[in-house]
Amino acid sequence: MTIAKRKFDTLVIGAGGAGLRAALQLSQAEAAVAVISKVFPTRSHTVAAQGGINAALGNVTDDHWHWHMYDTVKGSDYLGDQDAIEYMCRAAPNTVIELEHYGVPFSRLENGRIYQRPFGGQSQNFGGEQAARTCAAADRTGHAMLHTLYQQNINARTHFFDEFFAVDLLKNERGDILGALAFDIESGEKIIIEAKTTLIATGGAGQLFRTNTNASINTGDGLAMALRAGIPLQDMEFFQFHPTGVAGKGMLISEGVRGEGGYLVNCEGERFMERYAPHAKDLASRDVVSRAIAVEIREGRGCGPNKDYVLLKVDHLDPEVIKKRLPGIRDISLTFLGIDPIEAPMPVFPTAHYTMGGIPTNRYAQVVVPVGTGAEEEIPGLYAAGECACASVHGANRLGGNSLLDIVVFGRAAGKHIIDYLKTHRQHKPLPDETVEQAVQRLARWEQPASAVGHSATVESVSALKAEFQQVMEEKCGVFRTEEVLAEGVQAVKSIQERLKHAVISDYSRIFNTARVEALELENLVELGLATVISALSRQESRGAHSRVDFPKRDDEHWLRHSLYYQQDNRLSYKPVRTRPISVDTFPPKERVY
Ligand SMILES: Cc1cc2nc3c(=O)[nH]c(=O)nc-3n(C[C@H](O)[C@H](O)[C@H](O)COP(=O)(O)OP(=O)(O)OC[C@H]3O[C@@H](n4cnc5c(N)ncnc54)[C@H](O)[C@@H]3O)c2cc1C
């Protein structure tokens, strides 16, 4: 059967904030752009972002991009690349103003300027007083941004393939990426999208863990596609646990709640963050607050009948503030907890939230891989931006409000670089049959009905295996880690990967494409799970979100370096952190206190 083929200048895989920002840049420059998304674009996870986007506009407190840079480097526990961080923080004010001009309906101050709220890890003057740097559209900032970017793309005539699932990247022998194989989820029809340049913008992999804040579509497909194409993944051991998820369920309660004056208490009614972070208190960085909650519970000061959560209080705030600035949070609390936060505190517990690791990129969003000793090379025509990329601006721990910034800054950077690249690369490279065949084979595995796979007694279902996998990741690779437990994790994930080879998607004679998607997603997740536990087992120190009970200290001498995980032989290698910014002095590693 022949497969339909389409050719474009650029293929953007993913229609979240990163993909849409890049596509807009390209369509406005008259490039032929295809954006494919497995859900309708405005359902991408960016839509769920609550708290806001950071930029040193200085509308509420004094501010400067250099202070923002300092906070981000410190927040990253010095693992972030300082050239990329400088680039992002300097670009932030203009990027936000640009969003405003595109039509993002930001909340306003009395004087008409964009409203900014304080968020965790923000300071004035390199570690001084709390700054208010997060620009917000109430507590629905991502929704406002995503819809605006989508409308702008429609206006610029970007070509969308909605509800198409990208299976694998296509490449030639040299490793040049030539597009992707995808299929239409409704009809199952396959399509080859050939492109001179490809941008991976597929978002994060929060579905690695059972309790998480992410949409069910956040399965890290782009990261797994990169792995299969021979590209290593960087810093996968660093996964952010957000301190305030709805206890037992995981939905996010934005840091904006603490930004507006909310705080955490234990069963004794103590505001315990004062002990862990005397200066920043509840607005310490996320890794610090998540660990503090875990310790309070472990030491018996949790709340509720099982003492397994802490409380987030806002009932001391003016109800009007809650209604105006946190309406979405109030909805979530009413719906999932049955509690009106105006009247009573909300039970919260840390929940898996953000993938710091990802596809290694430089500050132009080009994918870079190591060649020989110490040197790096770009893969011509291949880009990654957003949560799937590792620029690395977040290092070992991301600051709240920096991801919405990351996606638009590096989405735009990718668009700009691609426009230049296309000027000198006008032809499509020939597409070898073998690469298409390989991708088709991966899909074919899930095209047979259960009856064809046979051996009913030993057959396992994909959904059950997924639940088991997520549970393993949560238990073996959570907030606190040890060698023993991580080693068990590696074995457990490997065995699930083996069992998945024999699993089936359904016992019914009619198999829906959505079930195929779930199976392909689980294959992706399991590969990423392995990357995560293996990278975590190897890193013998505690840094940012990676907290090893058996190696409680940060060890800059041995571990101030990025890890790179290769799928082949589950191999790890390491590369130095780029500590040299573009135009200012390096921030050298210091002890990190809040
Ligand atoms: C609940 C929540 C609240 C948050 N709040 C904030 C906040 O206030 N501030 C902040 O800075 N950050 C916040 N974040 C983080 C931030 O929202 C995300 O990191 C960011 O939006 C990711 O954007 P993205 O463009 O990289 O990916 P996404 O928005 O996740 O989009 C990924 C896209 O890839 C597509 N895709 C994936 N796989 C495939 C495939 N195989 N085939 C085809 N298409 C595919 C999807 O359809 C989707 O269009 C929050 C995150 C969550 C989960």
Side-chain angles (χ1 to χ4, degrees), residues 118-122 130 134 255 258 282-286 399-400 594:
F119 246 52
Q122 298 180 348
Q130 174 75 43
T134 305
E255 193 166 301
R258 282 168 287 141
D282 295 81
L283 286 179
S285 162
R286 287 181 179 169
L399 290 187
Y594 283 99

Side-chain angles (χ1 to χ4, degrees), residues 12-21 35-54 117 119 134-135 139-142 145-146 161 163-168 181-183 185 200-206 212-215 217-223 225 240 242 250-256 286 332 352-355 385-389 394 398-408 442 517 520-521 524:
V12 178
I13 310 176
L20 290 186
R21 182 62 192 81
V35 177
I36 87 169
S37 173
K38 62 180 172 178
V39 293
F40 190 79
T42 51
R43 301 186 66 116
S44 305
H45 188 60
T46 298
V47 81
Q50 302 172 348
I53 172 168
N54 294 342
R117 56 165 60 110
F119 246 52
T134 305
C135 310
D139 55 0
R140 298 176 180 129
T141 314
M145 279 173 55
L146 194 66
F161 289 89
E163 302 189 348
F164 275 65
F165 187 88
V167 179
D168 254 328
L181 177 82
F183 72 95
I185 298 175
I200 308 172
T202 47
N212 67 72
T213 63
N214 281 208
I217 55 170
N218 289 4
T219 50
D221 301 344
L223 284 82
M225 283 187 242
Q240 178 164 79
H242 194 292
M251 297 83 176
L252 182 71
I253 299 193
S254 168
E255 193 166 301
R286 287 181 179 169
I332 288 176
H353 185 54
Y354 184 85
T355 318
E387 195 169 333
C388 67
H394 310 301
R398 171 177 76 90
L399 290 187
N402 264 359
S403 174
L404 287 182
L405 178 62
D406 166 359
I407 63 179
V408 282
R442 173 161 185 253
V517 166
L520 291 162
E521 287 175 340
N524 290 338

Side-chain angles (χ1 to χ4, degrees), residues 50-55 57 59 92-109 112-117 133-146 148 324-325 401 404-405 408:
Q50 302 172 348
I53 172 168
N54 294 342
L57 295 175
N59 290 352
N94 278 341
T95 309
V96 167
I97 302 293
E98 199 173 55
L99 287 174
E100 182 188 33
H101 291 179
Y102 287 153
V104 174
F106 285 109
S107 300
R108 298 283 158 181
L109 295 163
R113 289 180 185 276
I114 292 175
Y115 169 69
Q116 297 189 280
R117 56 165 60 110
R133 188 175 293 142
T134 305
C135 310
D139 55 0
R140 298 176 180 129
T141 314
H143 185 275
M145 279 173 55
L146 194 66
T148 304
K324 188 163 162 209
R325 302 281 189 221
L404 287 182
L405 178 62
V408 282

Side-chain angles (χ1 to χ4, degrees), residues 200 248 251 345 435 469 502:
I200 308 172
M251 297 83 176
T435 183
F469 165 73
H502 310 287

Side-chain angles (χ1 to χ4, degrees), residues 216-474:
S216 57
I217 55 170
N218 289 4
T219 50
D221 301 344
L223 284 82
M225 283 187 242
L227 269 185
R228 284 191 294 271
I231 297 160
L233 294 183
Q234 184 171 315
D235 295 339
M236 287 302 286
E237 61 271 45
F238 298 101
F239 201 96
Q240 178 164 79
F241 294 87
H242 194 292
T244 58
V246 169
K249 301 195 172 72
M251 297 83 176
L252 182 71
I253 299 193
S254 168
E255 193 166 301
V257 171
R258 282 168 287 141
E260 296 292 343
Y263 60 85
L264 295 161
V265 294
N266 60 21
C267 69
E268 291 157 12
E270 182 204 11
R271 186 174 179 182
F272 59 87
M273 278 315 298
E274 289 178 340
R275 265 188 286 123
Y276 296 87
H279 186 66
K281 300 186 180 110
D282 295 81
L283 286 179
S285 162
R286 287 181 179 169
D287 53 335
V288 175
V289 183
S290 286
R291 274 193 293 276
I293 295 174
V295 170
E296 286 302 297
I297 290 170
R298 200 170 58 195
E299 294 182 353
R301 291 186 294 278
C303 306
N306 300 322
K307 293 188 160 292
D308 55 358
Y309 56 78
V310 295
L311 291 171
L312 176 57
K313 259 174 76 65
V314 285
D315 50 354
H316 57 290
L317 300 180
D318 178 352
E320 285 316 305
V321 170
I322 297 175
K323 286 183 193 158
K324 188 163 162 209
R325 302 281 189 221
L326 304 167
I329 294 303
R330 188 170 175 226
D331 274 355
I332 288 176
S333 182
L334 284 166
T335 310
F336 295 106
L337 291 163
I339 291 173
D340 186 344
I342 290 176
E343 284 157 14
M346 299 172 274
V348 294
F349 187 76
T351 170
H353 185 54
Y354 184 85
T355 318
M356 259 87 67
I359 304 165
T361 55
N362 60 18
R363 68 174 190 270
Y364 308 105
Q366 294 174 285
V367 176
V368 287
V369 290
V371 283
T373 35
E376 277 192 319
E377 216 168 65
E378 300 94 38
I379 299 185
L382 183 64
Y383 297 77
E387 195 169 333
C388 67
C390 187
S392 146
V393 282
H394 310 301
N397 170 68
R398 171 177 76 90
L399 290 187
N402 264 359
S403 174
L404 287 182
L405 178 62
D406 166 359
I407 63 179
V408 282
V409 165
F410 292 103
R412 184 174 67 163
K416 280 166 77 171
H417 202 277
I418 290 172
I419 291 167
D420 280 344
Y421 181 91
L422 288 171
K423 286 181 192 154
T424 50
H425 297 78
R426 294 170 181 274
Q427 306 297 332
H428 285 89
K429 293 177 183 149
L431 182 70
D433 290 340
E434 304 84 74
T435 183
V436 177
E437 190 46 36
Q438 230 173 24
V440 168
Q441 279 309 317
R442 173 161 185 253
L443 194 53
R445 155 74 180 93
W446 299 107
E447 278 177 344
Q448 301 159 17
S451 54
V453 180
H455 46 75
S456 55
T458 53
V459 158
E460 297 186 85
S461 90
V462 165
S463 338
L465 215 47
K466 179 173 175 188
E468 190 181 330
F469 165 73
Q470 290 175 315
Q471 179 93 22
V472 163
M473 287 300 292
E474 186 158 298

Side-chain angles (χ1 to χ4, degrees), residues 63 67 70-71 121-131 133:
D63 212 350
W67 305 346
Y70 167 82
D71 292 339
Q122 298 180 348
S123 74
Q124 302 177 54
N125 241 322
F126 311 107
E129 290 304 300
Q130 174 75 43
R133 188 175 293 142

